[in-house]
Amino acid sequence: MFMSVRGAFAATLLASSAIAATPAFADEADAPSEVTVTGNVALTSDYRFRGVSLSGGDLAVQGGITVSHKSGFYASIWSSSLHSSEVDVDGDGVGDGSVYGDQELDLIGGWTGEVTSGLTLDAGLLYYVYPSGKIGDANYWEPYASISGQVGPAKLKLGLAYDWKQKGLLDNNGSKSDNLYVYGNVDVAIPNTPVTVSGHLGYTDGVLSPCYYCTGTRTFNDKTGIDYSIGASMTLFGPLSASISYVGVSGVSVDSYTDDTVVGTLTASF
């Protein structure tokens, strides 16, 4: 997937020689590819999903690949390491495994493009998979859509995701349940610097709300919640970038789960 500097240099020389020798093919060689492949790998201090830690407050390794067509259609795969608590199913005081296991795998398909001047739509279907989960079936589907546009120096984005009732989303009574998530993002690039300042605000209504599973607290069974973050990101050099954010959620604060925290991430893109 990666090419060495020497290999890239040799390939460039070879391509340049071929174009120079056959100028009739120059336009064809310069034509943009119909399909592009991009990806990234990242190390983050805490994997926060809509404000809630899925890595137990620990480091997480993440990465993904996206294949995009010039028509706007794309397919992606993304993964992150997890740290989820074991569940005592038989009541013997010994953990029998965890619902999510130690890995999340997201399979994504969608379309993005400008639907009117200055407004971009991104819509698709996401499938959350937890291949090492041992308790029940935690996998679930999530259709999503967002609209984004530029307003002065700010890029604004509004989006929603809705998970219909399915076996991967069980309420505290063991019944299939659903979940609605709506959010807004704002990103402002600081002129003449590599820094972008970002803000996020999200609202959840359903079994994925921040403190629905906070057992032993007064907010147990609370199916609504808010998550928020504010931070900054910057390009360091080449494909390497870094970000830092303050992340929080409404409701009770559970250490390494729903407590406010600062998250730092180092990302290499290709």
Side-chain angles (χ1 to χ4, degrees):
M1 198 169 297
F2 292 99
M3 181 182 290
S4 68
V5 174
R6 180 182 297 175
F9 182 64
T12 302
L13 287 178
L14 182 61
S16 299
S17 300
I19 293 172
T22 55
F25 296 100
D27 291 340
E28 181 178 332
D30 292 339
S33 172
E34 292 191 353
V35 176
T36 58
V37 180
T38 57
N40 63 78
V41 291
L43 179 65
T44 184
S45 62
D46 191 355
Y47 173 25
R48 291 274 167 157
F49 176 74
R50 298 171 184 171
V52 176
S53 178
L54 297 187
S55 61
D58 295 335
L59 290 170
V61 179
Q62 304 173 334
I65 295 176
T66 298
V67 179
S68 305
H69 188 266
K70 70 174 185 178
S71 63
F73 288 98
Y74 61 87
S76 301
I77 183 170
W78 183 88
S79 184
S80 177
S81 59
L82 304 177
H83 181 77
S84 52
S85 301
E86 293 200 357
V87 178
D88 180 12
V89 176
D90 51 19
D92 63 357
V94 179
D96 299 300
S98 63
V99 175
Y100 297 109
D102 57 13
Q103 182 191 13
E104 175 184 323
L105 185 65
D106 298 350
L107 307 177
I108 311 161
W111 180 88
T112 186
E114 191 173 63
V115 291
T116 188
S117 180
L119 289 179
T120 298
L121 173 69
D122 183 8
L125 181 63
L126 194 156
Y127 186 41
Y128 295 91
V129 182
Y130 302 93
S132 57
K134 296 181 179 179
I135 307 299
D137 183 357
N139 304 342
Y140 65 97
W141 298 89
E142 182 178 87
Y144 62 88
S146 67
I147 195 81
S148 60
Q150 197 77 25
V151 179
K155 180 179 180 181
L156 304 180
K157 182 177 182 179
L158 294 174
L160 63 84
Y162 178 72
D163 315 316
W164 64 83
K165 291 183 178 181
Q166 48 193 298
K167 62 183 179 180
L169 296 174
L170 301 181
D171 62 20
N172 286 316
N173 297 315
S175 301
K176 294 179 182 178
S177 192
D178 61 354
N179 191 83
L180 172 68
Y181 185 69
V182 294
Y183 66 92
N185 294 341
V186 57
D187 300 299
V188 180
I190 306 302
N192 303 316
T193 76
V195 177
T196 297
V197 176
S198 303
H200 165 86
L201 181 65
Y203 172 77
T204 305
D205 186 350
V207 293
L208 296 179
S209 66
C211 243
Y212 182 65
Y213 299 109
C214 294
T215 57
T217 75
R218 59 182 175 83
T219 55
F220 181 55
N221 280 335
D222 184 358
K223 282 191 173 183
T224 62
I226 293 173
D227 70 280
Y228 53 88
S229 67
I230 184 167
S233 60
M234 66 177 296
T235 300
L236 298 179
F237 57 87
L240 201 62
S241 62
S243 66
I244 187 166
S245 298
Y246 181 86
V247 181
V249 298
S250 61
V252 123
S253 177
V254 178
D255 187 38
S256 300
Y257 184 58
T258 58
D259 55 331
D260 291 6
T261 191
V262 175
V263 176
T265 304
L266 189 64
T267 304
S269 302
F270 56 92

